[in-house]
Amino acid sequence: MIKDFNYYNTLLVQSVGSKVGPIAPTIVPSAAYGYEDAEQAEAIFAGEVNLPLYARVGNPTNIKLESVVAKMEGGLGAIATASGMGALSMVTTAFLKNGDEVLCIGGFFGGTYTLINETMKRFGVTNSFCDTDDFEYIESTLKCGVKMVIMESVGNPSLRLPDMKRIVDLCNVYETLLVVDNTATPLIVQPLELGADIVVHSSTKNMSGHSAALGGIAVFRAVKEEGDKLLNEKYADVHKIVKKMGKKAFIPICKKRAIRDMGMTANAFGSFLTLLGLETLSLRVERINKSVAQVAKILDEQLPEGVSVNHPSLPESEDYARYQLDFEHGCGPLLTLDCGSKEKAFTLLNKLTLVTQTANIGDNRTLALHMTSTIYSDFDEVARKFLGVHEGLIRVSIGLEDPQTIADDFLQAANEN
Ligand SMILES: *Cc1c(COP(=O)(O)O)cnc(C)c1O
């Protein structure tokens, strides 16, 4: 069952600070850490003593952030990274090698699409992409030994909603790692509780909320004592770590096979800012998810001919039924506008007075961006079509302002044409 916002308000404010000593999180900026003696150094390097080793593989401020987010997502542990793309690069490079295949389900953030379809491909990892609801295809690729499945809790910017439970169950039947990007829906979707293996976030977005800290985080489930999917032959190259480290194994797998060698580590100051954001995350998520549906409704009723709004809370949306069933607290801060053409979209954007034009989402302020001329400018027609991106599309991320005032800004910008 989904835990409510009261639960998270209590959990987050009580977990971020300390009761004794400095009550705000402490920033530990040191890059290196002195060891008591040679024996302790040996034990720290062996992972037997849990003390800071060197900031590339972790620091005390990151550890604090990791423990709060692990609790929030219902995971065993987490690793904070330099950005959301850092978290995705870490989990993909930790598990995949030349010759492996990834299955990507549904719509994707532009950076994730290019990570898989350009960068990982360059290193010999093959891929395929399929529609959110193409279960026949999903099952057939899982049967063929796909090594990792990646999906977003809500397609950005397609706003397609997946049947996550069904995908989770299939990945568990075929013993395939499932990575869910939960950036758009912290607290309102709980992928690990549904049975996913790894959750990643761009903490730059909702978690931090203030557009002040670039960051990412991956959260992991516990490895089962017996019959875990990581013991499948497909994952033979991590068996040594799984056998040695037991239920915590996801963490050393990512540290030793990605963080240590590629250094996509979070910094202490960024993690401190993200922790501050987490104290109010639940309040902000509750407010923003209510506002998105309100703004969508007003725009749906009042936008002039030629401009339309898309959000799964609207009865005409293709995912309306799934929204009602699985997304009782909302599906994140996004809605989209279809203006029909790039020119009309630009005219509307340039008339906005309250809304900020920028590439971020999940901010405290309302943001908007034209898609094909920015994030997706490098993408060909086939990729754009798959990702649900077209010339007239504006992505909007609703903030904390008064919902009527937000809607009014879009209405005046759309009407004055
Ligand atoms: C922004 C975003 C990312 C990438 O995060 P960065 O912190 O910008 O690297 C990944 N996934 C989704 C869904 C995002 O919105």
Side-chain angles (χ1 to χ4, degrees):
M1 222 18 242
I2 295 173
K3 298 185 177 89
D4 67 11
F5 291 115
N6 277 328
Y7 168 85
Y8 287 115
N9 276 319
T10 308
L11 176 83
L12 290 169
V13 292
Q14 288 287 317
S15 312
V16 169
S18 303
K19 290 223 163 46
V20 179
I23 69 168
T26 43
I27 307 171
V28 183
S30 190
Y33 297 84
Y35 316 125
E36 228 166 70
D37 50 31
E39 286 74 18
Q40 191 190 50
E42 185 180 33
I44 291 172
F45 272 75
E48 287 153 12
V49 168
N50 204 6
L51 283 171
L53 185 155
Y54 176 72
R56 181 164 18 82
V57 289
N59 72 59
T61 315
N62 291 1
I63 289 173
K64 179 76 192 183
L65 172 63
E66 290 158 356
S67 76
V68 176
V69 177
K71 263 194 254 176
M72 179 185 112
E73 283 286 0
L76 179 79
I79 300 177
T81 54
S83 65
M85 288 320 303
L88 282 153
S89 313
M90 174 181 75
V91 300
T92 48
T93 47
F95 283 97
L96 302 171
K97 61 177 190 305
N98 182 13
D100 288 339
E101 186 174 336
V102 187
L103 169 64
C104 302
I105 302 175
F108 281 94
F109 170 72
T112 311
Y113 186 86
T114 48
L115 168 70
I116 300 301
N117 206 35
E118 292 181 16
T119 304
M120 296 303 288
K121 199 156 143 187
R122 199 146 42 77
F123 291 96
V125 176
T126 59
N127 66 65
S128 66
F129 285 76
C130 75
D131 182 81
T132 311
D133 286 329
D134 195 347
F135 288 100
E136 209 174 303
Y137 183 80
I138 293 170
E139 190 155 9
S140 70
T141 44
L142 288 175
K143 263 186 202 159
C144 293
V146 151
K147 192 131 166 220
M148 180 179 278
V149 173
I150 306 180
M151 69 188 289
E152 294 186 3
S153 58
V154 173
N156 163 13
S158 71
L159 294 177
R160 288 300 317 278
L161 304 180
D163 184 346
M164 197 182 293
K165 184 67 186 145
R166 191 162 164 195
I167 296 171
V168 164
D169 290 347
L170 278 171
C171 289
N172 288 337
V173 167
Y174 292 100
E175 303 199 318
T176 307
L177 282 175
L178 174 61
V179 179
V180 178
D181 183 335
N182 203 19
T183 298
T185 48
L187 313 183
I188 51 183
V189 176
Q190 292 286 317
L192 294 181
E193 300 207 347
L194 290 173
D197 302 292
I198 302 175
V199 170
V200 298
H201 282 273
S202 163
S203 61
T204 319
K205 316 289 171 61
N206 300 273
M207 265 191 210
S208 140
H210 301 74
S211 282
L214 186 73
I217 193 157
V219 192
F220 310 96
R221 66 169 173 85
V223 174
K224 292 188 213 125
E225 274 176 25
E226 267 173 48
D228 196 277
K229 68 169 78 161
L230 281 184
L231 295 169
N232 185 297
E233 252 333 281
K234 279 191 286 215
Y235 305 110
D237 54 348
V238 299
H239 283 179
K240 216 170 113 193
I241 303 179
V242 175
K243 282 175 188 149
K244 180 160 176 237
M245 301 305 290
K247 67 179 182 185
K248 281 195 266 180
F250 276 103
I251 302 216
I253 289 170
C254 288
K255 288 217 168 163
K256 285 183 191 291
R257 292 165 60 93
I259 287 273
R260 182 192 66 192
D261 300 350
M262 280 171 277
M264 60 282 273
T265 321
N267 72 82
F269 187 59
S271 294
F272 164 76
L273 292 172
T274 306
L275 278 161
L276 294 190
L278 282 171
E279 285 195 3
T280 55
L281 178 66
S282 179
L283 286 176
R284 292 184 286 108
V285 166
E286 181 175 16
R287 158 87 179 186
I288 287 173
N289 277 275
K290 276 197 189 124
S291 293
V292 182
Q294 283 168 1
V295 173
K297 186 163 183 287
I298 300 171
L299 295 183
D300 194 38
E301 286 163 2
Q302 296 181 35
L303 276 172
E305 192 110 334
V307 188
S308 61
V309 56
N310 175 33
H311 188 261
S313 65
L314 299 171
E316 63 268 28
S317 157
E318 71 176 311
D319 284 322
Y320 179 66
R322 199 165 279 161
Y323 181 85
Q324 299 290 344
L325 199 69
D326 292 345
F327 292 81
E328 61 173 310
H329 295 300
C331 62
L334 301 182
L335 57 79
T336 58
L337 297 177
D338 183 2
C339 302
S341 70
K342 176 180 166 184
E343 290 65 36
K344 282 201 177 145
F346 272 36
T347 305
L348 190 154
L349 281 167
N350 291 338
K351 280 188 189 157
L352 292 167
T353 58
L354 171 134
V355 177
T356 306
Q357 291 191 50
T358 185
N360 198 14
I361 63 164
D363 192 84
N364 295 339
R365 291 151 283 253
T366 297
L367 316 173
L369 189 69
H370 180 248
M371 294 282 94
T372 54
S373 60
T374 59
I375 297 176
Y376 298 94
S377 57
D378 276 352
F379 288 54
D380 62 24
E381 266 317 303
V382 179
R384 285 181 184 178
K385 192 154 190 286
F386 173 76
L387 297 169
V389 174
H390 47 84
E391 287 292 344
L393 192 73
I394 295 173
R395 182 185 72 190
V396 177
S397 175
I398 299 295
L400 295 172
E401 304 94 338
D402 168 39
Q404 183 67 53
T405 308
I406 300 170
D408 285 345
D409 196 30
F410 285 105
L411 290 173
Q412 66 76 21
N415 275 324
E416 261 177 59
N417 289 323

